[in-house]
Amino acid sequence: NAGVTQTPKFRILKIGQSMTLQCAQDMNHNYMYWYRQDPGMGLKLIYYSVGAGITDKGEVPNGYNVSRSTTEDFPLRLELAAPSQTSVYFCASSLRGPAEAFFGQGTRLTVV
Amino acid sequence: GESVGLHLPTLSVQEGDNSIINCAYSNSASDYFIWYKQESGKGPQFIIDIRSNMDKRQGQRVTVLLNKTVKHLSLQIAATQPGDSAVYFCAESFTGTASKLTFGTGTRLQVTL
């Protein structure tokens, strides 16, 4: 049982480049989340999904897009990378809501 | 906007002592609170949660206390161990937006031998 798997673990992007952060869970969880964590700060919610085909904005959605075509996968897309998007990104999943969410190991993204 | 915050950024505790990590929240509508532990280089890990209809909840070596009057949350760790060294976050949400958590900035717990 792998839990929540994020890829890649590290990435350096140039300003204006695009990339997709992958997130997959094998626990059949309905809820999935994307958070970003800036140095010395707490997590901020970017987007979340309560089930396949349903997504909604969180606290800081600008500059990001998501899709949820299957229960297992919840990719996060950055279209035009900016230095302000330098952060550690965490994907999480849970069965019914934020309670007891399982987090991935994170993706450390640097935009230069 | 309203946010969750913490009183102490760093807490140093001797092994075997009890630890108390505090958190203040400002959204009076919040009715659900969670404590997470984050070890270096890892994602947050759920520790314990509490709903606003409770004042206290106990887990294994951990206790969460909620004081709604002063909007204060605390995490107590009994017999602190070196493995407890991590950053601890409190998070809040309310029923109207059950999928959204607001995280505090975190407290680093350092356990000394």
Side-chain angles (χ1 to χ4, degrees), chain A residues 32-61:
Chain A
M32 295 189 75
Y33 311 84
W34 274 107
Y35 292 91
R36 59 176 286 172
Q37 184 177 31
D38 297 330
M41 303 294 288
L43 282 74
K44 293 187 177 181
L45 182 65
I46 305 172
Y47 271 95
Y48 69 100
S49 168
V50 300
I54 305 170
T55 62
D56 206 348
K57 295 179 181 179
E59 185 182 356
V60 290

Side-chain angles (χ1 to χ4, degrees), chain A residues 31 33 35 37 40-43 45 48 50 57 90 98-101 103-105, chain B residues 32 34 36 38 41-46 49 89 93 98-101 103-105:
Chain A
Y31 289 73
Y33 311 84
Y35 292 91
Q37 184 177 31
M41 303 294 288
L43 282 74
L45 182 65
Y48 69 100
V50 300
K57 295 179 181 179
F90 288 100
E100 301 190 34
F103 283 80
Q105 294 291 299
Chain B
Y32 180 64
I34 304 175
Y36 288 96
Q38 186 176 25
K42 296 184 178 180
Q45 179 183 6
F46 172 90
D49 61 355
F89 294 95
S93 72
S99 295
K100 300 180 182 180
L101 285 173
F103 281 78
T105 54

